[in-house]
Amino acid sequence: MGDFSETFPMDLSYWGVDDYRAGWVRALRRVDAGRDEVDSCLVTSITDPATANFVFCWPLYRRGTDVYVQNAVVFLGELADAFRPTEPWLSVEPRGTVDEDGNEISEWRTTIDEVRAFLSAHP
C-alpha cells in the first residue's frame, strides 16, 4: 500500500493464490466498511485448519482514518471456536501495543485512503 511492499512465504497447499486474493479483498472491504473502529485480518499463510496447528496473518486495526497492521500467528488449538478461513478476524486478538513482557509490538501504519486505493487497483 502506498510505497510500502512486503514479501513473505505463502503456503499453497490449502489455498491457491486466488483464494488468498479473495480473502484479502474481503478483509480490506471489512476495514473500508467500518466506521471508526473495526478489526480485520489478512491471512498470509494457511494450511488445512482441520489438521494445522497455526495460521500466519496480518491483523488490521482501523482507528479512525488510520489502519494499523501487525504480524501474528493464530494458534488454532488455543481458540474457543473453530477457525473460519473466510472470517479470520473472528480469531484475532484485540489490538495491543505492548506484549505480556512489556515489549512494544511492531506494527505498520497506513490510512483508510491507501486501503481504498489498493481496493480500487485490485477489484
Side-chain angles (χ1 to χ4, degrees), residues 21 25 29 116-123:
R21 272 194 196 113
V25 167
R29 284 186 181 150
R116 290 174 179 149
F118 182 87
L119 284 170
S120 292
H122 301 88

Side-chain angles (χ1 to χ4, degrees), residues 3-79:
D3 294 333
F4 181 77
S5 66
E6 181 76 17
T7 59
F8 52 90
M10 178 183 293
D11 191 300
L12 298 174
S13 64
Y14 179 70
W15 269 6
V17 173
D18 290 339
D19 298 307
Y20 283 100
R21 272 194 196 113
W24 281 38
V25 167
R26 261 191 319 277
L28 293 171
R29 284 186 181 150
R30 177 179 167 78
V31 169
D32 184 28
R35 297 258 181 223
D36 293 324
E37 189 167 316
V38 65
D39 298 344
S40 194
C41 179
L42 304 177
V43 172
T44 57
S45 190
I46 186 172
T47 57
D48 186 349
T51 58
N53 295 321
F54 48 83
V55 172
F56 294 102
C57 63
W58 289 340
L60 305 172
Y61 305 101
R62 179 175 175 183
R63 301 298 181 261
T65 59
D66 291 326
V67 179
Y68 297 92
V69 184
Q70 297 180 357
N71 188 43
V73 179
V74 175
F75 292 97
L76 301 178
E78 296 177 5
L79 297 176

